[in-house]
Short mmCIF file of all heavy atoms in Angstrom, two decimals:
data_model
loop_
_atom_site.label_atom_id
_atom_site.label_comp_id
_atom_site.label_asym_id
_atom_site.label_seq_id
_atom_site.Cartn_x
_atom_site.Cartn_y
_atom_site.Cartn_z
N VAL H 128 -3.43 -22.24 -7.62
CA VAL H 128 -2.56 -22.17 -8.82
C VAL H 128 -1.28 -22.95 -8.56
O VAL H 128 -0.63 -22.76 -7.52
CB VAL H 128 -2.23 -20.68 -9.13
CG1 VAL H 128 -1.15 -20.59 -10.21
CG2 VAL H 128 -3.48 -19.93 -9.54
N GLU H 129 -0.94 -23.83 -9.48
CA GLU H 129 0.31 -24.58 -9.33
C GLU H 129 1.29 -24.16 -10.40
O GLU H 129 0.90 -23.95 -11.54
CB GLU H 129 0.04 -26.08 -9.43
CG GLU H 129 -0.71 -26.57 -8.21
CD GLU H 129 -0.93 -28.06 -8.24
OE1 GLU H 129 -0.33 -28.74 -9.09
OE2 GLU H 129 -1.72 -28.52 -7.39
N ARG H 130 2.54 -24.00 -10.03
CA ARG H 130 3.56 -23.54 -10.98
C ARG H 130 4.68 -24.57 -11.07
O ARG H 130 5.01 -25.20 -10.06
CB ARG H 130 4.19 -22.23 -10.52
CG ARG H 130 3.29 -21.07 -10.48
CD ARG H 130 3.97 -19.91 -9.78
NE ARG H 130 2.98 -18.87 -9.52
CZ ARG H 130 2.74 -17.87 -10.34
NH1 ARG H 130 3.43 -17.72 -11.45
NH2 ARG H 130 1.81 -16.98 -10.05
N ALA H 131 5.28 -24.60 -12.25
CA ALA H 131 6.42 -25.49 -12.42
C ALA H 131 7.63 -24.94 -11.70
O ALA H 131 8.44 -25.68 -11.15
CB ALA H 131 6.72 -25.66 -13.90
N THR H 132 7.76 -23.61 -11.69
CA THR H 132 8.92 -23.00 -11.02
C THR H 132 8.42 -22.07 -9.92
O THR H 132 7.32 -21.52 -10.02
CB THR H 132 9.75 -22.16 -12.02
OG1 THR H 132 8.85 -21.30 -12.70
CG2 THR H 132 10.47 -23.03 -13.00
N PRO H 133 9.21 -21.87 -8.90
CA PRO H 133 8.75 -21.01 -7.80
C PRO H 133 8.50 -19.59 -8.29
O PRO H 133 9.16 -19.11 -9.21
CB PRO H 133 9.92 -21.03 -6.81
CG PRO H 133 10.82 -22.11 -7.26
CD PRO H 133 10.55 -22.39 -8.70
N PRO H 134 7.54 -18.87 -7.71
CA PRO H 134 7.15 -17.56 -8.23
C PRO H 134 8.02 -16.41 -7.75
O PRO H 134 7.75 -15.28 -8.08
CB PRO H 134 5.73 -17.39 -7.67
CG PRO H 134 5.77 -18.15 -6.38
CD PRO H 134 6.71 -19.29 -6.60
N PHE H 135 9.07 -16.68 -7.01
CA PHE H 135 9.81 -15.56 -6.41
C PHE H 135 10.43 -14.66 -7.47
O PHE H 135 11.11 -15.09 -8.38
CB PHE H 135 10.89 -16.09 -5.47
CG PHE H 135 11.68 -15.00 -4.83
CD1 PHE H 135 11.06 -14.06 -4.02
CD2 PHE H 135 13.04 -14.88 -5.05
CE1 PHE H 135 11.77 -13.04 -3.44
CE2 PHE H 135 13.77 -13.86 -4.46
CZ PHE H 135 13.13 -12.94 -3.65
N VAL H 136 10.13 -13.37 -7.37
CA VAL H 136 10.68 -12.39 -8.32
C VAL H 136 11.52 -11.43 -7.49
O VAL H 136 10.99 -10.61 -6.75
CB VAL H 136 9.55 -11.62 -9.02
CG1 VAL H 136 10.11 -10.67 -10.06
CG2 VAL H 136 8.56 -12.58 -9.65
N PRO H 137 12.86 -11.54 -7.53
CA PRO H 137 13.66 -10.80 -6.57
C PRO H 137 13.65 -9.28 -6.74
O PRO H 137 13.46 -8.56 -5.79
CB PRO H 137 15.07 -11.35 -6.76
CG PRO H 137 15.06 -12.03 -8.08
CD PRO H 137 13.66 -12.39 -8.40
N ASP H 138 13.84 -8.80 -7.96
CA ASP H 138 14.01 -7.35 -8.13
C ASP H 138 12.91 -6.77 -8.99
O ASP H 138 13.15 -6.21 -10.04
CB ASP H 138 15.37 -7.06 -8.78
CG ASP H 138 16.46 -7.18 -7.75
OD1 ASP H 138 16.21 -6.79 -6.61
OD2 ASP H 138 17.53 -7.68 -8.10
N VAL H 139 11.70 -6.93 -8.53
CA VAL H 139 10.60 -6.46 -9.35
C VAL H 139 10.58 -4.93 -9.38
O VAL H 139 10.88 -4.27 -8.39
CB VAL H 139 9.29 -7.04 -8.80
CG1 VAL H 139 8.93 -6.42 -7.48
CG2 VAL H 139 8.17 -6.89 -9.79
N LYS H 140 10.29 -4.41 -10.55
CA LYS H 140 10.26 -2.96 -10.71
C LYS H 140 8.94 -2.43 -10.19
O LYS H 140 7.89 -2.97 -10.48
CB LYS H 140 10.41 -2.65 -12.19
CG LYS H 140 10.61 -1.20 -12.48
CD LYS H 140 10.92 -1.04 -13.96
CE LYS H 140 10.53 0.35 -14.41
NZ LYS H 140 10.66 0.55 -15.81
N ARG H 141 9.02 -1.37 -9.39
CA ARG H 141 7.80 -0.82 -8.82
C ARG H 141 7.15 0.13 -9.81
O ARG H 141 7.82 0.90 -10.48
CB ARG H 141 8.14 -0.07 -7.54
CG ARG H 141 6.94 0.49 -6.85
CD ARG H 141 7.31 1.00 -5.49
NE ARG H 141 6.32 1.99 -5.12
CZ ARG H 141 6.59 3.11 -4.51
NH1 ARG H 141 7.83 3.40 -4.18
NH2 ARG H 141 5.63 3.93 -4.21
N THR H 142 5.82 0.05 -9.93
CA THR H 142 5.14 1.00 -10.80
C THR H 142 4.12 1.78 -9.98
O THR H 142 3.53 1.25 -9.05
CB THR H 142 4.38 0.28 -11.94
OG1 THR H 142 3.57 -0.73 -11.35
CG2 THR H 142 5.34 -0.35 -12.92
N VAL H 143 3.95 3.04 -10.29
CA VAL H 143 2.97 3.86 -9.57
C VAL H 143 2.15 4.62 -10.61
O VAL H 143 2.58 4.82 -11.73
CB VAL H 143 3.62 4.88 -8.62
CG1 VAL H 143 4.36 4.21 -7.51
CG2 VAL H 143 4.54 5.83 -9.37
N GLU H 144 0.97 5.04 -10.18
CA GLU H 144 0.17 5.89 -11.05
C GLU H 144 0.28 7.30 -10.51
O GLU H 144 0.29 7.51 -9.30
CB GLU H 144 -1.27 5.42 -11.04
CG GLU H 144 -1.32 4.01 -11.59
CD GLU H 144 -2.68 3.55 -11.97
OE1 GLU H 144 -3.65 4.25 -11.67
OE2 GLU H 144 -2.74 2.48 -12.57
N GLY H 145 0.36 8.29 -11.39
CA GLY H 145 0.40 9.67 -10.93
C GLY H 145 1.80 10.21 -10.87
O GLY H 145 2.78 9.54 -11.21
N SER H 146 1.89 11.47 -10.42
CA SER H 146 3.16 12.17 -10.50
C SER H 146 3.96 12.13 -9.21
O SER H 146 5.06 12.66 -9.15
CB SER H 146 2.90 13.62 -10.92
OG SER H 146 1.80 14.12 -10.22
N VAL H 147 3.40 11.53 -8.15
CA VAL H 147 4.08 11.48 -6.86
C VAL H 147 4.33 10.02 -6.48
O VAL H 147 3.47 9.18 -6.67
CB VAL H 147 3.20 12.13 -5.77
CG1 VAL H 147 3.82 11.96 -4.40
CG2 VAL H 147 2.95 13.60 -6.07
N ALA H 148 5.50 9.74 -5.95
CA ALA H 148 5.78 8.37 -5.45
C ALA H 148 6.42 8.44 -4.08
O ALA H 148 7.34 9.23 -3.85
CB ALA H 148 6.70 7.64 -6.42
N TYR H 149 5.88 7.65 -3.17
CA TYR H 149 6.50 7.50 -1.85
C TYR H 149 7.58 6.43 -1.95
O TYR H 149 7.35 5.38 -2.55
CB TYR H 149 5.45 7.07 -0.82
CG TYR H 149 4.39 8.11 -0.59
CD1 TYR H 149 3.20 8.09 -1.30
CD2 TYR H 149 4.61 9.13 0.33
CE1 TYR H 149 2.24 9.06 -1.09
CE2 TYR H 149 3.65 10.11 0.54
CZ TYR H 149 2.46 10.06 -0.18
OH TYR H 149 1.51 11.03 0.03
N VAL H 150 8.72 6.70 -1.36
CA VAL H 150 9.82 5.72 -1.38
C VAL H 150 10.24 5.46 0.06
O VAL H 150 10.61 6.38 0.79
CB VAL H 150 11.01 6.25 -2.21
CG1 VAL H 150 12.22 5.34 -2.06
CG2 VAL H 150 10.62 6.37 -3.68
N LYS H 151 10.14 4.21 0.46
CA LYS H 151 10.51 3.87 1.84
C LYS H 151 12.03 3.81 1.97
O LYS H 151 12.68 3.12 1.19
CB LYS H 151 9.95 2.49 2.19
CG LYS H 151 8.69 2.56 2.99
CD LYS H 151 8.55 1.39 3.91
CE LYS H 151 7.80 0.28 3.25
NZ LYS H 151 7.36 -0.74 4.20
N ILE H 152 12.58 4.52 2.96
CA ILE H 152 14.03 4.45 3.16
C ILE H 152 14.37 3.61 4.39
O ILE H 152 15.54 3.33 4.65
CB ILE H 152 14.67 5.85 3.26
CG1 ILE H 152 14.16 6.64 4.48
CG2 ILE H 152 14.45 6.63 1.97
CD1 ILE H 152 14.98 7.90 4.75
N SER H 153 13.35 3.27 5.17
CA SER H 153 13.60 2.42 6.34
C SER H 153 12.29 1.78 6.74
O SER H 153 11.23 2.18 6.26
CB SER H 153 14.12 3.25 7.52
OG SER H 153 13.12 4.15 7.95
N ASP H 154 12.39 0.80 7.59
CA ASP H 154 11.17 0.23 8.17
C ASP H 154 11.45 -0.03 9.64
O ASP H 154 12.60 -0.12 10.07
CB ASP H 154 10.77 -1.06 7.44
CG ASP H 154 9.25 -1.24 7.47
OD1 ASP H 154 8.57 -0.58 8.28
OD2 ASP H 154 8.74 -2.04 6.67
N GLY H 155 10.37 -0.13 10.42
CA GLY H 155 10.51 -0.38 11.84
C GLY H 155 10.92 0.85 12.61
O GLY H 155 11.16 1.92 12.04
N CYS H 156 10.98 0.71 13.93
CA CYS H 156 11.33 1.86 14.77
C CYS H 156 11.92 1.35 16.08
O CYS H 156 11.43 0.38 16.65
CB CYS H 156 10.08 2.69 15.04
SG CYS H 156 10.47 4.23 15.91
N ASP H 157 12.98 2.05 16.54
CA ASP H 157 13.63 1.66 17.80
C ASP H 157 13.29 2.60 18.94
O ASP H 157 13.85 2.48 20.01
CB ASP H 157 15.16 1.71 17.62
CG ASP H 157 15.67 0.48 16.89
OD1 ASP H 157 14.88 -0.46 16.69
OD2 ASP H 157 16.86 0.47 16.53
N ARG H 158 12.41 3.55 18.71
CA ARG H 158 12.21 4.58 19.73
C ARG H 158 11.29 4.13 20.87
O ARG H 158 11.39 4.64 21.97
CB ARG H 158 11.64 5.84 19.09
CG ARG H 158 12.70 6.58 18.34
CD ARG H 158 12.21 7.91 17.85
NE ARG H 158 13.30 8.54 17.16
CZ ARG H 158 14.06 9.50 17.68
NH1 ARG H 158 13.81 9.96 18.87
NH2 ARG H 158 15.05 10.00 16.99
N PHE H 159 10.37 3.27 20.59
CA PHE H 159 9.46 2.78 21.62
C PHE H 159 8.80 3.91 22.41
O PHE H 159 8.83 3.92 23.64
CB PHE H 159 10.18 1.80 22.57
CG PHE H 159 10.54 0.50 21.89
CD1 PHE H 159 11.77 0.34 21.28
CD2 PHE H 159 9.62 -0.53 21.81
CE1 PHE H 159 12.10 -0.83 20.61
CE2 PHE H 159 9.94 -1.72 21.15
CZ PHE H 159 11.17 -1.87 20.56
N CYS H 160 8.23 4.87 21.70
CA CYS H 160 7.41 5.87 22.38
C CYS H 160 6.33 5.10 23.14
O CYS H 160 5.76 4.14 22.61
CB CYS H 160 6.78 6.83 21.37
SG CYS H 160 8.00 7.75 20.42
N SER H 161 6.03 5.54 24.36
CA SER H 161 5.22 4.67 25.24
C SER H 161 3.77 4.53 24.77
O SER H 161 3.07 3.65 25.22
CB SER H 161 5.25 5.21 26.67
OG SER H 161 4.73 6.52 26.71
N PHE H 162 3.33 5.39 23.84
CA PHE H 162 1.94 5.32 23.37
C PHE H 162 1.80 4.53 22.07
O PHE H 162 0.71 4.34 21.56
CB PHE H 162 1.39 6.74 23.13
CG PHE H 162 2.25 7.55 22.18
CD1 PHE H 162 2.11 7.45 20.81
CD2 PHE H 162 3.23 8.41 22.67
CE1 PHE H 162 2.90 8.17 19.94
CE2 PHE H 162 4.02 9.16 21.81
CZ PHE H 162 3.86 9.03 20.45
N CYS H 163 2.92 4.08 21.48
CA CYS H 163 2.90 3.65 20.08
C CYS H 163 3.17 2.16 19.93
O CYS H 163 4.10 1.61 20.51
CB CYS H 163 3.96 4.44 19.31
SG CYS H 163 4.01 4.02 17.57
N ALA H 164 2.35 1.52 19.12
CA ALA H 164 2.49 0.07 18.90
C ALA H 164 3.36 -0.25 17.69
O ALA H 164 3.67 -1.42 17.44
CB ALA H 164 1.10 -0.55 18.71
N ILE H 165 3.78 0.78 16.96
CA ILE H 165 4.50 0.53 15.70
C ILE H 165 5.74 -0.37 15.87
O ILE H 165 5.94 -1.30 15.09
CB ILE H 165 4.90 1.86 15.01
CG1 ILE H 165 3.65 2.62 14.58
CG2 ILE H 165 5.86 1.66 13.87
CD1 ILE H 165 2.96 2.12 13.33
N PRO H 166 6.59 -0.13 16.89
CA PRO H 166 7.78 -1.00 16.99
C PRO H 166 7.41 -2.48 17.17
O PRO H 166 8.15 -3.36 16.76
CB PRO H 166 8.51 -0.47 18.23
CG PRO H 166 8.08 0.96 18.33
CD PRO H 166 6.64 0.97 17.87
N TYR H 167 6.25 -2.74 17.78
CA TYR H 167 5.82 -4.13 17.97
C TYR H 167 5.22 -4.70 16.68
O TYR H 167 5.20 -5.90 16.47
CB TYR H 167 4.79 -4.22 19.10
CG TYR H 167 5.26 -3.53 20.36
CD1 TYR H 167 4.74 -2.29 20.72
CD2 TYR H 167 6.27 -4.07 21.14
CE1 TYR H 167 5.20 -1.62 21.84
CE2 TYR H 167 6.74 -3.41 22.26
CZ TYR H 167 6.20 -2.18 22.61
OH TYR H 167 6.67 -1.51 23.71
N ILE H 168 4.70 -3.80 15.83
CA ILE H 168 4.08 -4.25 14.58
C ILE H 168 5.13 -4.37 13.47
O ILE H 168 5.20 -5.36 12.76
CB ILE H 168 3.00 -3.24 14.12
CG1 ILE H 168 1.89 -3.12 15.17
CG2 ILE H 168 2.41 -3.65 12.77
CD1 ILE H 168 0.90 -1.98 14.89
N ARG H 169 5.94 -3.33 13.35
CA ARG H 169 6.89 -3.26 12.22
C ARG H 169 8.29 -3.73 12.57
O ARG H 169 9.15 -3.80 11.70
CB ARG H 169 6.95 -1.82 11.70
CG ARG H 169 5.65 -1.34 11.07
CD ARG H 169 5.74 -1.41 9.56
NE ARG H 169 4.46 -1.24 8.92
CZ ARG H 169 4.28 -1.37 7.61
NH1 ARG H 169 5.27 -1.67 6.82
NH2 ARG H 169 3.10 -1.21 7.08
N GLY H 170 8.54 -3.98 13.84
CA GLY H 170 9.85 -4.50 14.24
C GLY H 170 10.90 -3.42 14.43
O GLY H 170 10.61 -2.22 14.38
N ARG H 171 12.13 -3.84 14.65
CA ARG H 171 13.24 -2.91 14.92
C ARG H 171 13.61 -2.15 13.66
O ARG H 171 13.30 -2.57 12.55
CB ARG H 171 14.47 -3.69 15.45
CG ARG H 171 14.23 -4.51 16.68
CD ARG H 171 13.70 -3.69 17.84
NE ARG H 171 14.63 -2.69 18.31
CZ ARG H 171 15.39 -2.79 19.41
NH1 ARG H 171 15.31 -3.86 20.18
NH2 ARG H 171 16.20 -1.81 19.76
N TYR H 172 14.32 -1.05 13.84
CA TYR H 172 14.66 -0.14 12.74
C TYR H 172 15.65 -0.80 11.77
O TYR H 172 16.66 -1.36 12.19
CB TYR H 172 15.28 1.13 13.32
CG TYR H 172 15.44 2.23 12.30
CD1 TYR H 172 14.42 3.13 12.06
CD2 TYR H 172 16.62 2.37 11.57
CE1 TYR H 172 14.54 4.14 11.12
CE2 TYR H 172 16.76 3.38 10.63
CZ TYR H 172 15.72 4.25 10.42
OH TYR H 172 15.86 5.25 9.48
N ARG H 173 15.32 -0.73 10.50
CA ARG H 173 16.25 -1.22 9.45
C ARG H 173 16.32 -0.16 8.35
O ARG H 173 15.31 0.14 7.72
CB ARG H 173 15.72 -2.50 8.78
CG ARG H 173 15.80 -3.77 9.55
CD ARG H 173 14.48 -4.17 10.18
NE ARG H 173 13.38 -4.36 9.26
CZ ARG H 173 12.10 -4.25 9.62
NH1 ARG H 173 11.74 -3.89 10.84
NH2 ARG H 173 11.14 -4.48 8.75
N SER H 174 17.51 0.38 8.12
CA SER H 174 17.68 1.30 6.98
C SER H 174 17.70 0.49 5.69
O SER H 174 18.27 -0.59 5.64
CB SER H 174 19.01 2.04 7.07
OG SER H 174 19.06 2.82 8.23
#
Side-chain angles (χ1 to χ4, degrees):
V128 171
E129 289 184 11
R130 294 170 191 268
T132 51
F135 180 61
V136 184
D138 282 323
V139 70
K140 189 173 155 186
R141 182 170 156 221
T142 52
V143 295
E144 298 195 351
S146 43
V147 174
Y149 295 94
V150 171
K151 260 211 269 194
I152 64 168
S153 66
D154 210 344
C156 187
D157 281 351
R158 285 187 179 258
F159 291 92
C160 299
S161 60
F162 55 84
C163 181
I165 294 283
Y167 309 105
I168 299 171
R169 294 260 168 185
R171 303 303 296 258
Y172 190 88
R173 286 101 59 204
S174 298

